[in-house]
């Protein structure tokens, strides 16, 4: 039964990804490039879900933790209210260089603010409020930066965390997981449990893409 379900899920995922279109224009070209070259950008499924969520929220301030080549920052910038901004953080020079080039090429430098540095350190020093926080950096760090994310997220805002199911490994017992992944497994388990049991949050855990948590801050 489990094997059949796994096959069915994979077939469904292939079908969904075949139906979902790439983003339009140069953004879609960047999306294709990211997939072809194996860069860690959000999946078609995740982008489609986020497009719906961002359309409903119409945020003015978005915080992104993990820039990669800039695709998701550019994608989210299209859903900002007038005068809004995406603040995105990354520490890897190769990614930062490509992200800056892509942001400039897509004409979004006025809507995207890049901060270079360690996400944990930068987030701990940030001030202000954000309507949406998108976590897409090192998965083992999610639990560590959660308190600062909740501090920075306004009441009614959305916290979205990508790739939280560790490619399905999160559903296994710890000893079934590869040794090199066990620390991340433990931290992601702690993270998902923290999200689901925090009275300040309304949380849904979805199997979209690599697994996604969507949380609304109640207070």
């Amino acid at each position: 039964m489990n094997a059949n379900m796994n096959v069915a899920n994979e077939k469904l995922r292939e079908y969904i990804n075949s139906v979902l279109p790439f983003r339009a224009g140069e953004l879609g070209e960047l999306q294709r490039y990211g997939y072809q070259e194996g860069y860690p950008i959000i999946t078609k499924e995740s982008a489609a879900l986020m497009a719906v969520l961002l359309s409903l929220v119409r945020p003015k301030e978005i915080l992104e933790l993990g820039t990669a080549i800039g695709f998701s920052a550019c994608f989210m910038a299209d859903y900002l209210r007038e005068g809004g901004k995406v603040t995105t953080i990354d520490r890897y020079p190769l990614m930062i260089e490509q992200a800056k080039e892509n942001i400039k090429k897509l004409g979004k430098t006025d809507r995207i603010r890049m901060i270079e540095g360690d996400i944990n350190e930068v987030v701990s020093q940030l001030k202000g409020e954000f309507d949406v926080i998108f976590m897409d950096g090192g998965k083992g760090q999610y639990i560590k930066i959660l308190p600062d994310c909740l501090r920075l997220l306004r009441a009614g805002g959305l916290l979205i965390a990508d790739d939280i199911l560790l490619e399905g490994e999160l559903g296994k017992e710890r000893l079934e997981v590869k040794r090199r992944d066990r620390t991340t497994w433990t931290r992601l388990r702690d993270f998902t449990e923290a999200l689901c049991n925090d009275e300040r949050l309304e949380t849904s855990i979805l199997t979209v893409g690599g697994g996604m948590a969507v949380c609304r801050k109640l207070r």
Side-chain angles (χ1 to χ4, degrees), residues 72-162:
S72 52
C74 292
F75 158 71
M76 292 189 292
D78 288 339
Y79 294 88
L80 291 168
R81 279 184 277 154
E82 186 175 354
K85 192 169 289 289
V86 176
T87 298
T88 183
I89 308 167
D90 210 300
R91 64 180 296 182
Y92 298 105
L94 180 61
M95 294 293 188
I96 291 168
E97 181 181 347
Q98 291 197 63
K100 285 181 176 178
E101 290 178 2
N102 290 325
I103 291 167
K104 182 178 180 180
K105 181 181 179 182
L106 270 63
K108 299 181 188 293
T109 53
D110 61 329
R111 284 180 281 171
I112 299 174
R113 169 196 180 203
M114 278 202 67
I115 300 178
E116 301 176 29
D118 180 86
I119 289 173
N120 297 35
E121 295 176 4
V122 174
V123 168
S124 68
Q125 297 172 23
L126 282 180
K127 308 293 183 184
E129 283 191 329
F130 294 88
D131 304 298
V132 174
I133 297 178
F134 179 45
M135 305 175 76
D136 196 25
K139 313 309 173 231
Q141 303 303 308
Y142 283 4
I143 188 64
K144 294 183 179 181
I145 58 179
L146 179 59
D148 277 310
C149 288
L150 294 178
R151 172 180 61 83
L152 292 165
L153 185 66
R154 71 164 175 83
L158 292 183
L159 174 67
I160 304 170
D162 200 23

Side-chain angles (χ1 to χ4, degrees), residues 2-219:
N2 288 339
N4 290 338
M5 283 297 294
N6 287 338
V7 171
N9 288 340
E10 188 60 35
K11 293 291 186 184
L12 282 172
R13 179 155 290 172
E14 289 176 5
Y15 169 70
I16 290 168
N17 278 289
S18 71
V19 172
L20 288 171
F22 287 96
R23 312 311 297 180
E26 290 185 322
L27 185 60
E29 293 175 13
L30 178 58
Q31 187 181 23
R32 287 186 175 89
Y33 169 77
Y35 295 155
Q36 289 168 0
E37 298 300 320
Y39 286 109
I41 68 172
I42 57 175
T43 65
K44 274 187 178 181
E45 300 166 84
S46 299
L49 174 60
M50 288 179 65
V52 174
L53 294 173
L54 294 172
S55 295
L56 294 171
V57 174
R58 299 303 297 180
K60 187 163 187 180
E61 296 289 340
I62 298 175
L63 175 62
E64 178 185 47
L65 309 178
T67 311
I69 59 173
F71 168 73
S72 52
C74 292
F75 158 71
M76 292 189 292
D78 288 339
Y79 294 88
L80 291 168
R81 279 184 277 154
E82 186 175 354
K85 192 169 289 289
V86 176
T87 298
T88 183
I89 308 167
D90 210 300
R91 64 180 296 182
Y92 298 105
L94 180 61
M95 294 293 188
I96 291 168
E97 181 181 347
Q98 291 197 63
K100 285 181 176 178
E101 290 178 2
N102 290 325
I103 291 167
K104 182 178 180 180
K105 181 181 179 182
L106 270 63
K108 299 181 188 293
T109 53
D110 61 329
R111 284 180 281 171
I112 299 174
R113 169 196 180 203
M114 278 202 67
I115 300 178
E116 301 176 29
D118 180 86
I119 289 173
N120 297 35
E121 295 176 4
V122 174
V123 168
S124 68
Q125 297 172 23
L126 282 180
K127 308 293 183 184
E129 283 191 329
F130 294 88
D131 304 298
V132 174
I133 297 178
F134 179 45
M135 305 175 76
D136 196 25
K139 313 309 173 231
Q141 303 303 308
Y142 283 4
I143 188 64
K144 294 183 179 181
I145 58 179
L146 179 59
D148 277 310
C149 288
L150 294 178
R151 172 180 61 83
L152 292 165
L153 185 66
R154 71 164 175 83
L158 292 183
L159 174 67
I160 304 170
D162 200 23
D163 292 329
I164 64 163
L165 297 182
L166 200 61
E167 298 181 358
E169 296 288 280
L170 212 65
K172 296 181 180 180
E173 296 298 322
R174 189 174 187 276
L175 293 180
E176 296 179 281
V177 177
K178 294 175 183 177
R179 187 179 297 274
R180 68 169 184 258
D181 294 330
R182 288 178 187 172
T183 298
T184 302
W185 179 93
T186 300
R187 291 178 179 176
L188 281 174
R189 279 271 182 128
D190 291 343
F191 177 71
T192 53
E193 289 172 15
L195 294 181
C196 292
N197 291 287
D198 194 312
E199 294 181 351
R200 295 167 293 179
L201 298 174
E202 207 164 37
T203 298
S204 180
I205 306 295
L206 308 171
T207 56
V208 171
M212 181 174 279
V214 179
C215 314
R216 179 173 175 267
K217 185 177 178 180
L218 302 175
R219 57 180 174 82

